[in-house]
Amino acid sequence: MSDKGALLEKLKGIVIDGIIEDSEGATKEALGQGVEPLEIVEKGLVPGIEEAGARFSRGDYFLPELVASAEAMQTAMAVLDPLLRAKQEARKTLGHVLLGTVEGDIHSIGKNIVGALLQAAGFVVTDLGANVAVGTFVAKARELRPNIIGMSALLTTTMVKQQQTIEALAKEGLRSGLKVMVGGAPVTGDWAKKIGADDFAEDAVAAVAVAKRLVGA
Amino acid sequence: MAHQKIVPIELKLQTRLFSPDDLKRFHLAALEIMEEVGVSMPSHKALDILAGAGATVDRQKMVAKLPRSLVEKALKAAPKRYTLGARDPGNSLDLDGKHSYLSTDGCGIETYDLWTGERRLSTKQDIEDSARLADSLPQIAFYWGPMVSAQDVPAKTRPLHELQAAFTGTAKHVQPETIITEEIAKYAVDMAAVVAGGYEELRRRPLLSVMQCAMDPLGQDGGSLEASLVAAEHGLPTGFMPMPMSCATGPATLAGNLVVTTIDALAPLVLMQTAYPGSPFFFAAAPTAIDLRLGSYTGGGPEDYLLAAGFQEICAYYGIPLSMGTMATGAKVPDWQAAVDNVFSTLASVLTTVAMMTGAGMLNGSKIMSFQQIVMDCEIYEIARRFAAGIEVNDETLAVKVIKEVGIGGNYLAHKHTRAHMREIWRPTVVDRSPLQVWEDSGRAGAFEKATEIARRTLKDYQTEPLAPEVQRELDEIIRKAEKTIRD
């Protein structure tokens, strides 16, 4: 195996095993050896995350293992994304998901798990964090033009922000072509329908299936 | 229907998970982390109080590092024993480390309708109805939650509507987990004072206590802290409920989870005792483990039962009463799984003398209320109560004289010793013991059908001691005022 092949294989292994602390170093090492950023993604990271995803689907991996794989990939992507942008190159993905917990709500663990699983499944995820104002969702939707917005709410008193965000997106003319999915402990299918969301999911695994369906993957 | 006296559990059996050395290690671990890393308390009011008492405060991160001496001083100030008051003083609960009390479970979003069976969004009426059912059941000692969210009233005053419905439905103690801003807390205290008959009477007989949800790991919600400061100022007991989930918001190891649980229950004690030394305070908790496939809340499992028993031992080490998430099955309907979860969970709490067990009546991981489940959980409580009482040994119970009298091959049916003691034998309310033929002829009516009948009859016939009309009017008035002053 060439040096390049060995470096890509090493990166793949780092992602599969979720060795977050080695990811950045190995990525920089590959770049230093002259491997193209897009090649690192497509021949190192993506095969790694796909294998991790396959292991999870088979039941060989548990959620924390998959989350670690996603974080190892994310750490590498933080190095590669600016380079890809500079070269105007894009990796193949299932789509771009904008995630956030709604205003007034600071619960984030469920959303974080959804984000990791979506990345593992091949989506690009931008996580706006918790306590995200309606206006921030709208502004980011305009700026980043994601395929999907995913909103989490854990309180019955903050769920209404999901509705307000959907209304604001429509008012700003951003709703068409944009899919909205909602989640969080108090969120039900009835609620999703009532507020005009495209779909909802009860847990992170279901969220991936929903996101795939929404982008036709 | 008659009003029945609350029947608490008094434990005679003993269970121990930890040695004194283990307990000391939990304490030292919590102290080390609170001092070195600190805890998030995103409230300037809270940080001012802690900074004034010697905590190192980072205003940028809204983090307070709590020195060991401050924590230990606060622990000394917290009362070891106090009484939860109630609208009906006969329903007062003695938190003395010797009694366990069951409440309703809470904070759900849907209800299995008692008359149609359909699953639907929860309403304010559901709160009043469930509080009334709880008022009628001697196993339920206080109303926690509210059981479900009043989704048919405006969100900004919802906690107040919920409080009104709870006070209307039951004359027992009320412990909500929804008073999460200073503004709402002030109105809630006003409402409690109206029901108690004044602020001084409320302080003397706190018929309301305030529980908050912690933000694990190592944090609290700012609004919740400020709401609790309002409650403590008026003498209402306060407590904070960590629910770290092993692998996600807590370490995978159960001992590590209990360190996080301890910190997130204990750090707010430091704040409250610094602000109001001697104010009644309780620990609360519902630690759990992640579902390794779905990342979701499990609603039951051996880890939950161990964490409950283990944390109670830590609370007993501190001498602080615990309000522990108990029952709250993950089952979607009242089935085998619901019984397994709730029996083990109840035993874990009962066998370690948890003061407050929250509680009965919810399904799908505390998301769906079932009136039948309230009744059936009370039966589990009754069995546990009898189990906890153990076996008394004395001349009368050994019955040597009686055994000699009956002799070989006789029977005890008509003996007066039997008649003297037979009523000590537990009798079911909803457990089905009917003969097969009777059961088939009844349309296979089991525990669920009996529970349905009891719940329906109670909601039709049972009257809670009503609030005086002028009290009810004042509560309406407070909510109207809140509706005007609280911004959306």
Side-chain angles (χ1 to χ4, degrees):
Chain A
M1 198 183 286
S2 67
D3 280 358
K4 193 166 95 176
L7 286 168
L8 291 172
E9 204 52 35
K10 181 177 160 191
L11 266 167
K12 179 181 167 188
I14 283 170
V15 173
I16 292 173
D17 296 335
I19 312 170
I20 302 159
E21 62 275 22
D22 289 354
S23 181
E24 185 182 330
T27 305
K28 287 183 173 162
E29 190 188 348
L31 289 169
Q33 297 293 318
V35 188
E36 286 296 314
L38 196 59
E39 197 173 3
I40 296 178
V41 176
E42 290 182 343
K43 295 190 176 156
L45 305 178
V46 168
I49 199 72
E50 281 176 354
E51 173 59 21
R55 288 185 188 185
F56 182 73
S57 300
R58 284 201 303 270
D60 294 342
Y61 259 19
F62 288 129
L63 199 64
E65 292 167 311
L66 191 59
V67 170
S69 292
E71 284 196 18
M73 173 153 175
Q74 207 176 357
T75 307
M77 287 310 300
V79 178
L80 298 172
D81 268 332
L83 303 175
L84 291 170
R85 264 201 301 277
K87 287 170 166 268
Q88 301 204 322
E89 287 179 334
R91 59 187 170 117
K92 283 196 274 310
T93 72
L94 291 182
H96 183 186
V97 183
L98 194 60
L99 276 186
T101 303
V102 298
E103 189 176 356
D105 207 322
I106 50 178
H107 298 87
S108 58
I109 184 72
K111 167 194 60 82
N112 295 350
I113 294 174
V114 169
L117 259 61
L118 286 172
Q119 288 180 49
F123 286 92
V124 174
V125 173
T126 303
D127 188 343
L128 300 178
N131 194 18
V132 179
V134 172
T136 308
F137 274 115
V138 172
K140 284 288 174 184
R142 185 179 291 120
E143 177 195 334
L144 302 170
R145 298 286 166 173
N147 306 89
I148 298 174
I149 285 190
M151 284 182 282
S152 167
L154 213 92
L155 305 171
T156 58
T157 46
T158 57
M159 274 161 69
V160 65
K161 295 288 175 190
Q162 296 178 333
Q163 184 170 19
Q164 289 171 9
T165 305
I166 291 173
E167 285 165 5
L169 287 167
K171 207 172 137 206
E172 297 294 315
L174 295 163
R175 185 69 179 86
S176 70
L178 172 68
K179 301 290 184 185
V180 177
M181 55 191 281
V182 291
V187 172
T188 60
D190 289 343
W191 170 252
K193 242 182 245 135
K194 186 179 157 192
I195 65 173
D198 292 290
D199 213 337
F200 97 111
E202 275 193 292
D203 60 57
V205 173
V208 173
V210 165
K212 282 183 171 172
R213 196 162 64 234
L214 289 178
V215 297
Chain B
M1 285 167 84
H3 292 249
Q4 299 184 72
K5 209 166 163 294
I6 292 164
V7 285
I9 288 179
E10 284 180 71
L11 181 69
K12 299 276 164 54
L13 305 171
Q14 289 296 324
T15 313
R16 284 287 168 266
L17 268 78
F18 300 132
S19 67
D21 185 53
D22 292 338
L23 291 166
K24 185 96 192 162
R25 290 187 71 178
F26 282 116
H27 177 54
L28 292 175
L31 287 177
E32 181 182 327
I33 294 164
M34 287 192 289
E35 193 161 51
E36 280 179 24
V37 181
V39 289
S40 162
M41 295 219 177
S43 150
H44 285 294
K45 203 167 277 185
L47 292 178
D48 286 344
I49 292 164
L50 291 170
T56 311
V57 162
D58 182 335
R59 297 280 173 171
Q60 216 73 53
K61 295 183 180 145
M62 302 299 270
V63 163
K65 293 183 177 173
L66 308 176
R68 177 182 180 140
S69 56
L70 179 61
V71 176
E72 293 193 326
K73 187 176 163 204
L75 275 166
K76 278 200 193 82
K80 305 287 180 264
R81 174 179 179 163
Y82 56 91
T83 301
L84 296 179
R87 176 150 79 79
D88 175 350
N91 288 332
S92 296
L93 307 175
D94 199 5
L95 305 185
D96 59 359
K98 297 192 183 90
H99 292 89
S100 294
Y101 299 102
L102 177 67
S103 73
T104 50
D105 189 12
C107 303
I109 49 161
E110 293 182 300
T111 299
Y112 280 126
D113 191 281
L114 180 58
W115 307 95
T116 67
E118 69 159 337
R119 178 169 57 84
R120 55 164 174 78
L121 274 187
S122 54
T123 64
K124 185 176 178 181
Q125 186 64 45
D126 288 333
I127 298 170
E128 189 180 324
D129 286 347
S130 59
R132 200 149 52 86
L133 181 57
D135 198 77
S136 79
L137 294 163
Q139 293 81 20
I140 304 282
F142 66 106
Y143 188 80
W144 186 80
M147 286 202 77
V148 284
S149 179
Q151 291 170 92
D152 53 343
V153 299
K156 67 175 183 177
T157 50
R158 192 172 293 162
L160 304 178
H161 282 281
E162 292 169 348
L163 202 53
Q164 180 183 35
F167 281 140
T168 306
T170 183
K172 292 177 179 175
H173 182 82
V174 175
Q175 185 176 91
E177 207 192 14
T178 52
I179 311 294
I180 55 173
T181 65
E182 185 178 78
E183 212 173 11
I184 284 285
K186 286 179 179 165
Y187 286 114
V189 169
D190 288 346
M191 290 175 72
V194 165
V195 173
Y199 294 90
E200 271 321 299
E201 185 60 18
L202 178 64
R203 183 180 295 278
R204 207 177 60 73
R205 187 163 56 87
L207 44 78
L208 181 72
S209 54
V210 173
M211 189 198 278
Q212 305 294 1
C213 202
M215 296 301 303
D216 320 305
L218 315 185
Q220 305 294 332
D221 169 59
S224 299
L225 290 170
E226 288 170 6
S228 292
L229 284 168
V230 172
E233 185 190 344
H234 290 88
L236 302 184
T238 57
F240 292 74
M241 179 183 258
M243 35 196 314
M245 186 192 264
S246 275
C247 299
T249 48
T253 47
L254 300 189
N257 181 313
L258 286 176
V259 174
V260 172
T261 301
T262 301
I263 292 168
D264 287 344
L266 179 54
L269 175 147
V270 177
L271 172 67
M272 306 311 289
Q273 295 304 321
T274 305
Y276 302 102
S279 62
F281 189 91
F282 56 92
F283 286 146
T288 184
I290 197 171
D291 179 285
L292 279 170
R293 294 292 304 166
L294 300 173
S296 53
Y297 177 68
T298 60
E303 294 81 14
D304 295 27
Y305 317 139
L306 282 166
L307 288 165
F311 192 55
Q312 167 55 29
E313 283 185 35
I314 292 170
C315 294
Y317 169 84
Y318 290 123
I320 304 289
L322 171 63
S323 185
M324 183 74 211
T326 305
M327 299 185 168
T329 178
K332 283 88 183 163
V333 291
D335 58 4
W336 174 85
Q337 184 182 335
V340 170
D341 282 344
N342 289 1
V343 168
F344 271 109
S345 170
T346 301
L347 282 179
S349 290
V350 163
L351 294 180
T352 51
T353 320
V354 162
M356 297 168 270
M357 302 185 282
T358 56
M362 300 294 291
L363 295 162
N364 194 28
S366 301
K367 284 178 172 179
I368 312 173
M369 176 175 77
S370 157
F371 290 97
Q372 290 91 341
Q373 190 67 33
I374 299 174
V375 174
M376 292 190 290
D377 282 342
C378 283
E379 185 97 325
I380 291 174
Y381 173 93
E382 271 303 298
I383 297 169
R385 192 164 78 89
R386 179 64 190 90
F387 187 68
I391 296 174
E392 199 181 346
V393 181
N394 56 39
D395 288 348
E396 175 67 10
T397 62
L398 282 168
V400 173
K401 188 167 156 277
V402 182
I403 296 167
K404 283 182 186 167
E405 275 169 26
V406 170
I408 298 166
N411 73 62
Y412 298 86
L413 277 171
H415 200 286
K416 63 177 186 301
H417 182 267
T418 300
R419 274 172 284 147
H421 292 284
M422 66 183 185
R423 286 191 168 75
E424 294 158 20
I425 290 175
W426 182 78
R427 298 176 302 286
T429 303
V430 295
V431 163
D432 176 52
R433 288 175 171 173
S434 59
L436 182 69
Q437 196 58 55
V438 173
W439 176 72
E440 283 185 347
D441 292 347
S442 73
R444 304 188 167 205
F448 182 79
E449 288 70 22
K450 286 185 204 175
T452 305
E453 192 193 315
I454 290 168
R456 285 183 177 172
R457 195 175 62 230
T458 304
L459 290 192
K460 243 169 78 221
D461 298 342
Y462 181 83
Q463 296 299 328
T464 298
E465 186 61 35
L467 286 169
E470 65 271 20
V471 167
Q472 200 58 272
R473 267 197 304 278
E474 280 187 68
L475 296 181
D476 284 334
E477 192 47 49
I478 291 170
I479 294 175
R480 256 199 302 278
K481 195 172 139 204
E483 191 66 47
K484 276 192 212 128
T485 57
I486 299 175
R487 63 180 187 88
D488 284 302

